[in-house]
Amino acid sequence: MHAYGAPPAYAQAVLRITDARTGEPVEAAPARRGLTRVEAHASGLDPTALRVLLVADLLVRALELGGTPVWSLLTGEHEQAELRAAARALGIRPFEDGGDLGSGLGEAQVLHVATAGAGTTGGVLVAVAPVDSPTTAAPDLSDPGALRLALLSHARDLPVRLDAAALHEARRTLAHWRGSVADWARRPSRPVPDEVRAELRTAWEDDLNVSEMLRVLRRVETWPDLPDGARFETYAYADRLLGLELTRDIGSLA
C-alpha cells in the first residue's frame, strides 16, 4: 500500500512539454507571466480531431493553473462548427478562430497541438496520436464524460482504441468516482495532503502526464488512513485540470 509522508522539498514547478520536432522537453511558458499561444490544428468531426482539441484544452488549463495568460486558437478547414459543438459537449472551453491570425500578439511562446506529421511551422509542436474508432467516423457523444475519460486514460503520443469496451470501462469508472465524491462531500472537509498535491502537480507539469494523475487518484481512493473529506478535496483539486465534472452528483445522494 502506498504511504504518504512529509512532502518533499522542490523548486517552483514548471510545466514542461515535449517538442515533437526535436524530441526534447521545453518550458511551455519560458517567460514568467508572458502570453502563451496554444493553437490547435484540427479539421472535421472525428475522434482524432476531438482528441487534438482535448489535449489543447488540458494544456490551456495547466498553463492557467500556473498563472500563465493563454491565447487559445483553433485552425482548420472544414466541419469546424460541428467540431466546436462536440468540443463543448466534452467540456472543452471555446477556442478563437485561428484562420485570421495575422502577426499574433507578441506572445512569448507558441505551442502547436496537432496530429503527428502535421504541417505546422514555428513554435513547439505537441503531437497527438490518432484515435481508432471501429464503429463510426463521428465520435459517440451519448456520454461525453465517459468519452473524455477514455481519451484521457492514454498518453497523448500513443494511439487510442476507442471501442465499446473502452467506453464501458470509462463510463463505469466515472460513475463510481462521481458517486464516491458525492458521498465524501458529506463529511467534514480536510486539506489535500501536501505530498498528494505535489504528486498531482508533478504529473501534469511533466509533459501533461494525465495517466499518472489518474493513478494517484486511484491510490487516494483506497488509502485507509485518509479522511473522506481529504479524498473529496483531492478529487476536486485534480478535476480543475481533468475537467471530468467529478463533483457533479453532489447533493444527489439520499
Side-chain angles (χ1 to χ4, degrees), residues 62-201:
L63 288 164
E64 290 180 343
L65 285 171
T68 299
V70 183
W71 183 26
S72 54
L73 301 166
L74 169 60
T75 299
E77 297 178 353
H78 60 278
E79 291 188 292
Q80 295 303 89
E82 295 85 351
L83 180 58
R84 288 179 182 275
R88 285 195 299 271
L90 255 67
I92 296 172
R93 290 177 289 182
F95 284 66
E96 294 184 38
D97 184 5
D100 300 320
L101 180 59
S103 58
L105 297 175
E107 44 284 33
Q109 179 70 288
V110 179
L111 303 170
H112 296 280
V113 185
T115 55
T120 62
T121 59
V124 174
L125 174 59
V126 181
V128 180
V131 178
D132 176 22
S133 179
T135 55
T136 177
D140 179 3
L141 296 173
S142 60
D143 191 339
L147 176 57
R148 184 176 178 109
L149 178 57
L151 292 175
L152 288 178
S153 297
H154 302 269
R156 68 169 185 279
D157 57 347
L158 297 178
V160 174
R161 174 74 172 175
L162 197 62
D163 54 17
L167 288 171
H168 174 75
E169 177 61 22
R171 190 176 297 112
R172 185 196 66 79
T173 298
L174 190 57
H176 171 68
W177 278 355
R178 284 173 174 170
S180 296
V181 168
D183 183 47
W184 297 334
R186 298 186 297 175
R187 274 58 168 194
S189 177
R190 294 290 185 272
V192 179
D194 289 338
E195 186 174 343
V196 176
R197 186 185 297 271
E199 284 191 40
L200 290 170
R201 288 299 295 253

Side-chain angles (χ1 to χ4, degrees), residues 7-54:
Y10 57 93
Q12 180 178 357
V14 174
L15 175 61
R16 300 184 70 82
I17 203 82
T18 299
D19 186 348
R21 295 192 178 97
T22 65
E24 298 295 327
V26 299
E27 290 188 19
R32 181 169 174 78
R33 306 300 181 187
L35 177 66
T36 294
R37 185 173 98 216
V38 175
E39 186 170 355
H41 299 261
S43 292
L45 181 57
D46 63 70
T48 298
L50 205 52
R51 190 185 192 194
V52 169
L53 271 180
L54 178 56

